[in-house]
């Protein structure tokens, strides 16, 4: 492996999931204020915790955690990847349910880091709820490297399990990416991007399924929120028609779904 991508430190272990969750504890004075990106979310335990979602409801999860000097490359085979900024505290660790199989980490205390959480082969792993005959081993990766704080992101979401968890969680990121598109064309561009990025969604919307429509609406609502900060307190101006009349927004979603399905 090239020296520039070789990890400075590696920790490995097995933790035990409960209700499809394991926990990253950043230690005393640790903080991850922007960590909710579908397969990762802020922990109810406090700002020093991040809940990591896994495809297995219960049972063993193999984990490999690495600390790098710079951002490591993305593997094209990874199906589900999220990143978020954090500040490391002392005594960081990866925890399973009731501390089953906790892995002690030695992250640089007080350092600004970026974390990348990877679920390998999620589609195969989610076929089994518990360890047992025929169950596949599953593995997650956590990568850390020094980086100035910037918004987190859903980096990759491939397969039904990943799309289920990340759908809508990347709203702020996706909307910000279209900041250079002029209003009100940005709404149509946003809807086109969201609908076309997910196989089968256009057909589901046109067939009258409510869940994909509601998820697409989340992105529109995030745009309205961001536009409000730019234009006026009510976000009116350019999007008043759709804010005040959700039937009009639904008609626009149907229109863009029809375009995507051609």
């Amino acid at each position: 492996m090239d020296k520039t991508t070789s990890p400075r430190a590696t920790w490995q272990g097995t933790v035990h999931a409960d209700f499809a969750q394991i926990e990253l504890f950043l230690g005393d004075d640790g903080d991850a204020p922007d960590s909710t990106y579908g397969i990762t979310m802020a922990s109810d335990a406090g700002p020093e915790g991040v809940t990591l979602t896994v495809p297995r409801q219960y049972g063993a999860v193999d984990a490999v955690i690495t600390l790098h000097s710079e951002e490591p490359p993305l593997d094209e085979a990874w199906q589900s990847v999220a990143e978020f900024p954090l500040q490391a505290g002392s005594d960081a660790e990866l925890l399973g349910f009731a501390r089953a199989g906790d892995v002690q980490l030695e992250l640089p205390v007080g350092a600004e880091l970026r974390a990348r959480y990877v679920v390998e082969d999620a589609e195969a792993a989610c076929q089994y709820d518990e360890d047992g005959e025929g169950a596949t081993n599953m593995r997650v990766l956590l990568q850390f490297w020094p980086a100035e704080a910037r918004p987190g992101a859903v980096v990759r979401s491939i397969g039904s399990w990943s799309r289920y968890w990340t759908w809508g969680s990347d709203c702020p990121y996706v909307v910000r990416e279209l900041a250079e598109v002029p209003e009100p064309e940005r709404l149509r561009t946003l809807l086109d991007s969201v609908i076309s990025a997910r196989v089968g969604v256009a057909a589901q919307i046109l067939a009258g399924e409510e869940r994909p429509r509601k998820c697409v609406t989340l992105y529109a609502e995030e745009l309205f929120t961001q536009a409000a900060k730019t234009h006026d307190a009510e976000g009116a101006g350019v999007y008043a028609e759709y804010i005040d009349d959700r039937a009009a927004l639904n008609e626009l979603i149907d229109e863009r779904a029809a375009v995507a399905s051609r």
Side-chain angles (χ1 to χ4, degrees):
M1 183 179 293
D2 188 279
K3 290 182 179 180
T4 60
T5 59
S6 297
R8 291 163 47 189
T10 301
W11 303 274
Q12 299 185 57
T14 300
V15 294
H16 292 265
D18 187 49
F19 290 101
Q21 295 179 344
I22 57 178
E23 295 283 336
L24 171 63
F25 177 67
L26 296 172
D28 295 337
D29 299 322
D31 190 21
D34 177 31
S35 61
T36 299
Y37 288 91
I39 58 173
T40 64
M41 68 187 80
S43 173
D44 292 338
E48 69 278 3
V50 181
T51 298
L52 307 176
T53 302
V54 299
R56 176 163 292 166
Q57 285 291 311
Y58 306 98
V61 177
D62 294 334
V64 178
I65 305 100
T66 51
L67 175 64
H68 301 258
S69 298
E70 59 186 44
E71 180 178 353
L74 277 168
D75 190 318
E76 290 301 318
W78 292 341
Q79 296 181 338
S80 193
V81 183
E83 293 181 2
F84 56 92
L86 63 91
Q87 180 172 310
S90 58
D91 300 322
E93 54 189 336
L94 183 67
L95 302 170
F97 176 66
R99 302 187 68 90
D102 57 303
V103 181
Q104 303 292 319
L105 311 177
E106 296 181 11
L107 300 178
V109 177
E112 286 191 342
L113 303 174
R114 192 164 183 85
R116 175 185 292 158
Y117 175 55
V118 180
V119 179
E120 291 189 330
D121 201 9
E123 293 303 296
C126 70
Q127 300 302 313
Y128 302 92
D129 285 345
E130 300 181 20
D131 288 335
E133 185 177 353
T136 60
N137 292 330
M138 68 156 296
R139 189 171 79 155
V140 300
L141 310 177
L142 269 171
Q143 299 176 325
F144 300 94
W145 66 93
E148 292 184 0
R150 67 181 191 275
V154 175
V155 178
R156 187 170 297 154
S157 183
I158 300 172
S160 59
W161 180 85
S162 184
R163 288 197 299 269
Y164 175 84
W165 285 103
T166 60
W167 183 266
S169 64
D170 58 347
C171 287
Y173 174 77
V174 172
V175 173
R176 286 195 300 266
E177 285 289 287
L178 298 175
E180 299 303 317
V181 179
E183 317 286 6
E185 185 58 31
R186 185 156 62 137
L187 176 57
R188 284 179 170 78
T189 303
L190 173 65
L191 296 179
D192 289 347
S193 174
V194 171
I195 292 171
S196 63
R198 291 163 172 82
V199 177
V201 164
Q204 291 169 353
I205 290 173
L206 295 176
E209 294 187 27
E210 283 303 310
R211 185 175 184 276
R213 180 186 300 278
K214 288 179 179 178
C215 290
V216 171
T217 300
L218 290 175
Y219 291 84
E221 290 174 342
E222 177 64 26
L223 173 57
F224 300 156
T225 298
Q226 292 193 24
K229 298 174 183 178
T230 303
H231 297 283
D232 59 51
E234 297 179 356
V238 288
Y239 297 121
E241 172 188 359
Y242 301 112
I243 294 172
D244 297 336
D245 184 359
R246 289 312 170 95
L249 178 59
N250 282 330
E251 289 178 5
L252 181 60
I253 291 173
D254 286 342
E255 173 193 310
R256 305 323 299 172
V259 170
S261 65
R262 291 173 186 168

